[in-house]
Amino acid sequence: MIRVGLIDGALPGDWPGLAGQEWFCRPDGAELASGHAEAMVQTVCTHAEDVLLLNAVVFPGQLSTTLDAICAALSWLAEDPPDIVLCAFGMVRSSIEMSVAVARLQQAGSLIVGSAPARGGNAYPAAITGVLSVQGDARCRPNDLSRLDLPHAAYGACPIAAGREDIRGASAAAAHLAGLLARSVQGSETNALVGLETFVRYRGRERRGDGALAGSGAAGVSAGG
């Protein structure tokens, strides 16, 4: 069974497939982050059912976190690396600790998906070499990907979370790509990234008349929507 590491808000303890959960922040009483985490998982599971989830909680309730929390979460996942790590957020800066934790996961075979905003500067970990960076692309339906090959985003994906019209942008796109990647890992004997290419419907960025690139997604130190 595919194991997916979710660095996000907290999932309920009885969430189906939740195999482990660790907190890297103190709860603040808000509920926005839990809704975001649930939407990300629901989106992944529309593409690949029966995944096991490792929930690294970095959003205390509000959709804001710290670089230290992200690094700690990545390091925790690296202790028993999952097949896929979903980072549906973007940090404005990286650190040596983040790069080392990402590299450790990659060397163990984990595929890391990171949100990349359509506007603004680089977001991390999406901008780290080898991370599958993705932004929202209004051309894409849930089962579609676009191959953008932009400096900040390799892929585009559907910008709307499954069943949550209010959660849009790069975070939703990252969840869709992670789900398609999980499906590729489950259903193919080929390299997972080769399998992912079967979902690519568009190449190059949107042109005028195609519709504006959707939502900036995860900017600053918070999850996007």
Side-chain angles (χ1 to χ4, degrees), residues 135-140 148 204-208 210-214:
Q135 69 180 38
D137 188 331
R139 298 172 296 180
C140 293
L148 301 175
R205 67 186 308 164
E206 292 176 286
R207 299 180 300 276
R208 186 178 299 276
D210 288 339
L213 282 170

Side-chain angles (χ1 to χ4, degrees), residues 1 25 29 52 55-56 65 67 78 80 85 91 95 104 108 115 148 170 182:
M1 189 174 290
C25 58
L52 291 178
N55 184 201
T65 188
L67 185 58
D80 185 15
V85 177
M91 307 297 288
S95 67
R104 185 179 171 193
S115 295
L148 301 175

Side-chain angles (χ1 to χ4, degrees), residues 196-215:
L196 193 64
E197 288 294 313
T198 64
F199 300 107
V200 173
R201 300 289 179 266
Y202 307 98
R203 294 192 181 273
R205 67 186 308 164
E206 292 176 286
R207 299 180 300 276
R208 186 178 299 276
D210 288 339
L213 282 170

Side-chain angles (χ1 to χ4, degrees), residues 4 8 27 47 49 65 81 89-90 124 132 137 158 175 192 203 210 218-219:
V4 177
D8 210 288
H47 302 290
E49 299 179 355
T65 188
F89 58 84
Y124 297 91
L132 300 175
D137 188 331
C158 178
R203 294 192 181 273
D210 288 339

